[in-house]
Amino acid sequence: NSKVIQTPRYLVKGQGQKAKMRCIPEKGHPVVFWYQQNKNNEFKFLINFQNQEVLQQIDMTEKRFSAECPSNSPCSLEIQSSEAGDSALYLCASSLPSPSGNTLYFGEGSRLIVV
Amino acid sequence: QQKVQQSPESLTVSEGAMASLNCTFSDGTSNNFRWYRQHSAKGLEVLVSIFSDGEKEEGRFTAHLNRANLHVSLHIREPQPSDSAVYLCAVSMINAGAKLTFGGGTRLTVRP
């Protein structure tokens, strides 16, 4: 199925520590999304890119996260100072650009636990 | 703001019996609908995508879309215990970079 690769699968951080997650999108997919899924199955859109450019991001991401999708390197999402409420599954997804169809293919996620 | 709701929250069916899941959305201009499933604490697997009213079949999974009624459903034919998972409805527009809005999920359990 999906060939979106996310690392690490799990990370445990103390409050105030940085937490960095990486994502290799499916080959040939220029569009990349990051979502946060909490324990209640609620999905929060964080940021998306097309090629190396940010398309949209929410305020929280802009203020507390650092994210990039450099060419020829994995995309990354880094929380600058982890808080307990950041504990969640962070999902990366990639897709082709429209009009080819923009099915999002998801990786298995990075589960962050902030203690 | 788009609201997507799924029902039921949980569903138990016997192996081989049809499973039917429902999803309603609030923005009638939406034109991109997907069903995903998620086995516990894993990534999302896309099952079927549908963009226009009617039916779309992918193997044992069939989606029905009725945009006038703001409703999309998923029917699983001959479900197996390995189909036990959380099923998620996702709604957006067809354009690159369009955000998906997810429903809260339906937890399906298939009894042998």
Side-chain angles (χ1 to χ4, degrees):
Chain A
N1 209 303
S2 171
K3 295 177 178 59
V4 176
I5 308 295
Q6 288 190 248
T7 57
R9 290 293 311 277
Y10 299 93
L11 61 167
V12 180
K13 296 292 178 182
Q15 294 193 47
Q17 288 188 312
K18 290 189 177 190
K20 188 166 188 174
M21 294 154 272
R22 291 180 176 81
C23 171
I24 301 175
E26 198 156 327
K27 192 173 180 180
H29 285 189
V31 180
V32 174
F33 282 73
W34 286 95
Y35 281 87
Q36 179 196 66
Q37 183 185 19
N38 67 18
K39 61 182 180 181
N40 296 322
N41 270 345
E42 292 161 340
F43 285 77
K44 182 184 286 184
F45 164 81
L46 296 176
I47 189 169
N48 58 357
F49 294 84
Q50 181 155 357
N51 297 311
Q52 291 78 53
E53 301 296 320
V54 174
L55 294 175
Q56 292 175 290
Q57 61 181 323
I58 62 172
D59 283 350
M60 178 180 82
T61 308
E62 195 167 8
K63 289 176 184 165
R64 300 185 51 236
F65 291 50
S66 172
E68 60 176 1
C69 265
S71 60
N72 302 317
S73 290
C75 298
S76 64
L77 179 73
E78 184 175 36
I79 305 173
Q80 296 301 301
S81 178
S82 300
E83 299 172 359
D86 295 328
S87 297
L89 183 66
Y90 289 82
L91 290 160
C92 174
S94 70
S95 77
L96 292 168
S98 183
S100 311
N102 61 341
T103 297
L104 285 188
Y105 294 93
F106 284 81
E108 295 213 335
S110 291
R111 181 165 296 281
L112 171 66
I113 299 169
V114 181
V115 298
Chain B
Q1 186 172 338
Q2 175 82 268
K3 289 195 187 329
V4 179
Q5 293 188 300
Q6 289 185 239
S7 62
E9 284 189 15
S10 64
L11 176 66
T12 300
V13 300
S14 297
E15 187 173 0
M18 176 80 79
S20 295
L21 289 65
N22 297 296
C23 174
T24 59
F25 51 96
S26 60
D27 183 351
T29 64
S30 304
N31 55 10
N32 186 353
F33 304 86
R34 292 201 165 81
W35 283 96
Y36 288 89
R37 81 176 166 192
Q38 186 176 33
H39 288 100
S40 59
K42 293 205 166 183
L44 277 64
E45 173 191 359
V46 62
L47 299 174
V48 61
S49 303
I50 187 165
F51 310 116
S52 56
D53 285 348
E55 182 179 298
K56 176 82 177 292
E57 183 176 313
E58 297 280 358
R60 295 183 295 110
F61 302 97
T62 302
H64 290 264
L65 174 62
N66 184 327
R67 288 208 288 165
N69 289 344
L70 304 175
H71 183 259
V72 59
S73 60
L74 178 70
H75 304 275
I76 307 172
R77 183 168 40 87
E78 297 174 5
Q80 299 150 15
S82 58
D83 291 322
S84 298
V86 174
Y87 288 76
L88 294 152
C89 170
V91 180
S92 75
M93 302 298 291
I94 290 185
N95 55 275
K99 293 182 285 184
L100 294 180
T101 302
F102 287 88
T106 292
R107 181 172 295 281
L108 176 68
T109 303
V110 182
R111 282 197 306 247

